[in-house]
């Protein structure tokens, strides 16, 4: 499919539907983990996953930075007809992610206990989290490589293959979670093993594409300077900053929640993260699918088409937000029950307190994500980074320390919605200044 010439609606849905379904597959994998751990391991299991999140944020952030930054550059080169140069970018990216992932995961593995104590985990929570992390760090390099392959498969006009890989991974994760946690009763260790094995699926399904006749991008001799990759990383830096910021924000929120509410506070925040994750990942799937489309149209100087794609994305993410708002306002208790045992009354009440305010996020998050993805695709990483930092770090942290002075403990629950609203204002101002007609 030629994204610079084919019908706009057809191109949008051909890219966005597999991307959204793929993100739903990823979301379902995390939600399935939360369901089994919340119901069969308990609060400490949920807390152990959440206390480990900053580590995953750092590792995934690096993978997304490489994947998005480099694939956007490769997409622009393909749009300009420079296939060989695009293949060189792809090969160098694969070399970088492979070397980095194995080295950094080895370093983290050797220092797990020290890191968890730094994150504020007590002795018991540290022991539970080590069971989880020691397994996950073995498999994460394969997931990081899989993430990069996923983006390049999509840029190489195979969005359906990317979706099949993500869906297969999610299904395997569901089956293994049940087998390890419920049937074998392996607890948090079994959850990690199930997730790790399922992540290998991405690599197994996606890698053969680049050796097939359908591939435009191929593994070639990585000639020339790696400065190209450093520049590509800069373009994808907003994604790294976004992931890192989420990790740091989670670390700070964990500290505030455990200080005010104990382990139940971290467990409640974990459940709220799952609810946010569902809606945000769908909107992220829509915005993410724009990057190969916009980068190629940007290379072909098709500003009108870019504008039309963005309109479709704004409408789609707003509809997703509306559905999530209805669910959170009308059935918050049923959503909480998915992840919590009936005996967890304190944790459930904290989740419901969060839900009273958290729905506001979905009024703004979709538009923020689309505008951020747009800036990455047109090679304006600083603007994308401003939006990413604002919504996932600067304002959440600012508000969680200031709003409790005005609204007592409710201020903790208002912090994330308030951050998303302020980011929305900033994103709209930046978009009006750099809309498609002004940048091509």
């Amino acid at each position: 499919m030629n994204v610079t010439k084919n019908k706009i609606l057809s191109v949008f849905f051909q890219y966005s539907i597999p991307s959204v379904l793929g993100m739903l597959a990823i979301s379902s994998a995390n939600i399935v983990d939360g369901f089994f751990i919340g119901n069969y391991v308990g609060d400490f299991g949920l807390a152990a996953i959440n206390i480990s999140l900053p580590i995953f944020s750092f590792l995934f952030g690096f993978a997304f930075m490489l994947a998005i930054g480099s694939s956007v550059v490769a997409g622009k080169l393909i749009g300009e007809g420079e296939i060989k140069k695009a293949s060189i970018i792809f090969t160098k990216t694969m070399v970088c992610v492979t070397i980095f992932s194995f080295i950094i995961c080895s370093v983290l593995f050797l220092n797990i206990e020290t890191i968890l104590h730094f994150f504020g985990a007590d002795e018991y929570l540290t022991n539970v989290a080590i069971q989880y992390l020691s397994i996950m760090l073995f498999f994460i390099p394969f997931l990081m490589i899989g993430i990069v392959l996923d983006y390049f498969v999509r840029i190489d006009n195979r969005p359906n293959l990317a979706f099949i890989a993500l869906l297969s991974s999610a299904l395997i994760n569901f089956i293994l979670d049940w087998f390890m946690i419920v049937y074998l009763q392996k607890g948090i260790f079994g959850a990690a093993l199930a997730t790790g094995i399922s992540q290998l699926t991405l690599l197994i399904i996606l890698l053969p594409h680049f050796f097939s006749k359908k591939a435009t991008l191929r593994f070639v001799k990585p000639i020339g300077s790696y400065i190209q990759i450093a520049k590509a990383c800069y373009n994808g830096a907003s994604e790294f900053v976004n992931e890192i910021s989420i990790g740091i924000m989670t670390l700070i929120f964990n500290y505030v929640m455990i200080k005010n509410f104990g382990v139940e506070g971290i467990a409640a925040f974990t459940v709220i993260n799952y609810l946010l994750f569902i809606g945000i990942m769908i909107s992220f799937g829509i915005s993410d699918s724009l990057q190969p489309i916009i980068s190629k149209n940007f290379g072909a100087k098709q500003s009108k088409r870019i504008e039309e794609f963005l309109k479709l994305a704004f409408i789609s993410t707003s509809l997703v937000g509306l559905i999530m708002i209805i669910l959170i306002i009308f059935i918050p208790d049923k959503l909480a029950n998915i992840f919590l045992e009936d005996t967890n009354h304190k944790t459930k009440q904290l989740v419901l307190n969060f839900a009273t305010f958290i729905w506001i996020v979905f009024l703004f998050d979709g538009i923020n994500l689309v505008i951020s993805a747009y800036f990455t695709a047109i090679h304006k990483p600083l603007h994308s980074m401003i939006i990413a930092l604002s919504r996932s770090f600067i304002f959440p942290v600012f508000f969680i320390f200031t709003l409790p002075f005005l609204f007592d403990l409710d201020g903790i629950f208002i912090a994330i919605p308030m951050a998303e609203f302020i980011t929305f204002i900033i994103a709209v101002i930046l978009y009006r200044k750099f809309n498609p007609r002004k940048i091509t």
Side-chain angles (χ1 to χ4, degrees):
M1 171 170 279
N2 191 327
V3 300
T4 61
K5 293 180 181 177
N6 285 43
K7 287 184 180 179
I8 286 166
L9 203 62
S10 174
V11 172
F12 178 77
F13 284 119
Q14 182 153 350
Y15 274 79
S16 64
I17 290 174
S19 181
V20 168
L21 291 174
M23 289 301 166
L24 278 173
I26 293 173
S27 303
S28 68
N30 283 277
I31 292 161
V32 165
D33 284 350
F35 168 77
F36 282 113
I37 291 167
N39 285 281
Y40 294 95
V41 179
D43 282 353
F44 273 98
L46 290 173
I49 290 178
N50 213 41
I51 207 83
S52 309
L53 188 63
I55 294 173
F56 299 144
S57 295
F58 170 73
L59 295 169
F60 296 160
F62 183 85
F64 280 122
M65 176 178 69
L66 262 178
I68 293 172
S70 298
S71 65
V72 164
V73 173
K76 186 170 182 286
L77 288 169
I78 292 170
E80 294 167 349
E82 298 280 3
I83 306 300
K84 179 72 182 291
K85 288 182 180 178
S87 289
I88 291 171
I89 290 285
F90 163 64
T91 306
K92 286 179 177 176
T93 305
M94 291 305 299
V95 170
C96 289
V97 73
T98 302
I99 293 171
F100 174 85
S101 61
F102 280 101
I103 290 174
I104 197 66
C105 284
S106 299
V107 171
L108 289 169
F109 181 83
L110 296 171
N111 295 277
I112 295 177
E113 195 168 342
T114 306
I115 293 166
L116 288 170
H117 283 312
F118 175 74
F119 287 172
D122 61 21
E123 205 61 44
Y124 185 75
L125 187 55
T126 298
N127 290 334
V128 176
I130 284 174
Q131 292 179 53
Y132 184 73
L133 269 175
S134 59
I135 299 298
M136 288 298 294
L137 286 172
F138 176 80
F139 287 102
I140 280 178
F142 302 105
L143 177 59
M144 291 173 72
I145 295 166
I147 287 169
V148 173
L149 288 173
D150 175 75
Y151 275 83
F152 278 100
V153 162
R154 279 189 273 160
I155 214 81
D156 208 6
N157 294 322
R158 298 291 303 279
N160 290 329
L161 181 65
F163 162 63
I164 289 167
L166 291 169
L167 180 62
S168 301
S169 178
L171 289 173
I172 291 168
N173 182 66
F174 177 83
I175 294 164
L176 289 178
D177 261 345
W178 175 84
F179 182 70
M180 295 285 185
I181 301 172
V182 182
Y183 186 74
L184 295 182
Q185 297 188 340
K186 293 295 182 183
I188 198 85
F189 170 84
L193 196 58
T195 303
I197 293 170
S198 69
Q199 288 167 356
L200 289 172
T201 311
L202 285 178
L203 207 60
I204 294 165
I205 293 175
L206 297 177
L207 191 58
H209 162 75
F210 298 99
F211 299 95
S212 72
K213 291 179 181 178
K214 292 182 179 179
T216 302
L217 295 170
R218 297 189 178 276
F219 286 98
V220 296
K221 189 176 180 181
I223 56 173
S225 171
Y226 274 74
I227 289 172
Q228 290 173 300
I229 304 302
K231 288 179 179 177
C233 283
Y234 174 64
N235 192 42
S238 62
E239 310 306 324
F240 179 69
V241 168
N242 191 41
E243 288 292 326
I244 285 290
S245 300
I246 290 168
I248 297 170
M249 187 267 286
T250 301
L251 193 63
I252 293 167
F253 266 70
N254 283 343
Y255 169 78
V256 171
M257 294 302 286
I258 205 165
K259 185 180 175 185
N260 287 283
F261 308 109
V263 171
E264 291 87 355
I266 296 184
F269 183 50
T270 308
V271 172
I272 284 296
N273 271 338
Y274 285 132
L275 300 183
L276 285 173
F277 198 60
I278 299 165
I280 288 174
M281 286 304 272
I282 297 171
S283 293
F284 184 74
I286 294 166
S287 62
D288 206 39
S289 70
L290 289 177
Q291 294 189 3
I293 299 171
I294 291 177
S295 64
K296 288 179 181 178
N297 279 280
F298 180 57
K301 296 181 168 52
Q302 296 279 356
S303 60
K304 266 193 165 184
R305 288 177 67 83
I306 293 173
E307 212 165 37
E308 291 300 316
F309 286 124
L310 287 169
K311 282 180 186 175
L312 285 171
F314 288 139
I315 292 167
S316 303
T317 53
S318 296
L319 285 172
V320 172
L322 181 62
I323 292 166
M324 290 304 301
I325 288 168
I326 291 168
L327 291 174
I328 290 172
I329 288 176
F330 290 105
I331 53 166
D333 53 334
K334 287 184 172 60
L335 296 175
N337 285 340
I338 295 170
F339 305 100
L340 297 170
E341 296 172 294
D342 293 334
T343 53
N344 290 359
H345 299 301
K346 183 180 176 182
T347 305
K348 184 178 177 180
Q349 188 54 52
L350 287 171
V351 171
L352 296 177
N353 291 345
F354 254 121
T356 307
F357 304 101
I358 209 71
W359 63 268
I360 298 167
V361 166
F362 294 106
L363 292 172
F364 311 108
D365 75 298
I367 292 169
N368 291 342
L369 287 167
V370 169
I371 295 174
S372 180
Y374 162 70
F375 282 129
T376 299
I378 64 167
H379 298 232
K380 289 200 175 294
L382 181 61
H383 303 79
S384 183
M385 201 183 300
I386 288 168
I387 296 168
L389 267 175
S390 297
R391 67 180 294 270
S392 60
F393 178 60
I394 294 171
F395 291 118
V397 171
F398 173 74
F399 287 128
I400 200 172
F401 286 121
T402 56
L403 291 181
F405 288 108
L406 299 173
F407 303 103
D408 200 26
L409 291 178
D410 281 349
I412 297 170
F413 309 131
I414 299 169
I416 295 175
M418 194 69 178
E420 204 75 60
F421 169 64
I422 300 297
T423 302
F424 170 75
I425 295 171
I426 293 168
V428 170
I429 291 168
L430 288 173
Y431 178 73
R432 292 182 69 177
K433 191 175 180 181
F434 298 99
N435 67 59
R437 292 181 186 181
K438 292 180 180 178
I439 54 92
T440 48

